[in-house]
Amino acid sequence: MSEQSPIQNPYAPKLTPMAKYSMLFASWVFLSAVSFYLGMNLMQKEGGELVLKDNPSKPTVVSEADSATATETTDAEITKENPFLEPKQTNEVSDDTNFVPSFLPDENVSFRASAWSTDWTAMKKTVHLYNEIHPFIYTLKGGLTNNGELISSWSSTSKKERVAELRTLNPKVKIIPTIFRWENPKEKISENIGMNGRKDIRDHHIQVIVSEVVTYDYDGIDIDYEGMSCDKKEKFEEFFALLAKEIHKKGKLISVAVHPKTPSPKTKEMNCKGLAKPIQLDFRENWRGPTTHDYAFLAKHADRVKIMAYELHPRKYHNPGPGPQAPNVWLKDIISYAKKRVPTNKLYMAIPTYGYDWALNCKSSAKAVYHSDVLRIKSGTHKNRQPTDINKILNEENKVASWKNLSKFSDIHKNRAYEDPTLWYTSGGCDRVAFYMNRKAFEEKMNLLRKYDLGGFSFWQLVTDNDPEINVYLSQLVQGKVPPVEKAKEEPVEEVEKEDTVQPVKKKEPETITHNKVKAKVKKI
């Protein structure tokens, strides 16, 4: 469309040039005053450096290494769901400013509760329900190249004040912030782990991390470097071992988040350019990410190994289509693989607090489902299923012929009933199904993890829009008041058959993986 001149009003009084300039000057003064007022409310002086106050709706990002060149990240850079889902955030301000919990977690429980979170309100309100909290506040500075520096979504003042506040609310909680980076075409995890011959940047990166832990008196640090190509395996291991050594020297903990893997009946060797020796593929997931995370190696150096057991059914409509994010049938396979490589007291399973809502018979994007979404759907006409037996539902429903987005993947769900609940409803003339998390499903997942004597679980993620009934269960869990479960019998060690060498899968994202490739269920990020 071409640009047009504004329409003139013939009856408007004509202004002299002096009057025009006066009006412009008055407008400038007014706008300047407004800008100054807003600026003073957004900024504050802190020890001679200018930092931004925290905005509850979008975290302020400040580079602690050099506040003068502080850069603001996008939501995607500091968001762990990237690239899968947008977080369900809230601008709600908690009324519990003087909230004091009626109990504290029992330090002696063998199964520990932890959570990642970007939601300060949720952290403050529920910190007493967790043994460990991972504020999700750090990412790497730089895109395709790194310089060792970190970016934080909390200002230095906020870090000090919030750590103190969390410890006031729960003196027993361990505060272990997360450093996150998902490798993608615009961002790499390279020089920070010593790639390209840059051991100097790697060593500086380690110094920066240790300095943050000591300066803000964290209980440790959580490393969440995801989606790395297989050529980074050895350099990542060198980096992690060196970092763990320095962290442990300070008497602190180190945690690592890893991609989920399920056992393969045969072991293959995968040659990867740049590595001294082939990768032993004794797991099914042979794409970037899982190939770089060696459970056994990392477990030797880490105090916590947290498997990100979610995104079994990503919100894409290609294979494997609609389904639960972390059903027990898949978790069992992940545990089976991990227990042989990670001491159980170090092993944590990360469980999602969200689900997805898919269209069944129309073109409509899938979307994340949280507690408020569940309440909205339940307020209308719907069918609630729990457990969810998809094959049974497809046989019972007369609309199944039109449910192409689900029926074409029916074999994936054969002979399986999921503990996860579902809501089946119609919106905008489109039939839909929403998988979500509630207390009943959460309890069954926790019973499974406790059955195998795992060290604990982690939530991705802790937000104010989680099912409040889950918090009721957590209050009993962290006090050691949940009923005991029968322990699983040790599985016999199986002989693993060796196969020929395979080549690495090029740029295969988790959401493109078929259920058959992962066989007993797939993965997350």
Side-chain angles (χ1 to χ4, degrees), residues 272-301:
C272 185
K273 187 177 180 181
L275 297 187
K277 55 186 179 181
I279 296 171
Q280 299 299 310
L281 288 182
D282 53 1
F283 51 92
R284 299 178 185 276
E285 298 75 14
N286 64 334
W287 51 87
R288 67 184 181 96
T291 54
T292 313
H293 287 158
D294 186 314
Y295 287 9
F297 180 90
L298 296 173
K300 290 177 183 177
H301 302 277

Side-chain angles (χ1 to χ4, degrees), residues 241-264:
L242 290 169
L243 174 62
K245 184 178 179 180
E246 296 303 313
I247 290 292
H248 288 148
K249 280 182 183 177
K250 302 297 182 182
K252 306 290 186 176
L253 300 170
I254 186 165
S255 171
V256 61
V258 297
H259 294 272
K261 301 181 186 183
T262 55
S264 172

Side-chain angles (χ1 to χ4, degrees), residues 320 390-391 394 406-415:
I390 289 180
N391 286 115
L394 290 176
L406 176 61
S407 58
K408 63 184 176 183
F409 303 122
S410 60
D411 286 348
I412 289 171
H413 308 285
K414 192 174 181 179
N415 300 323

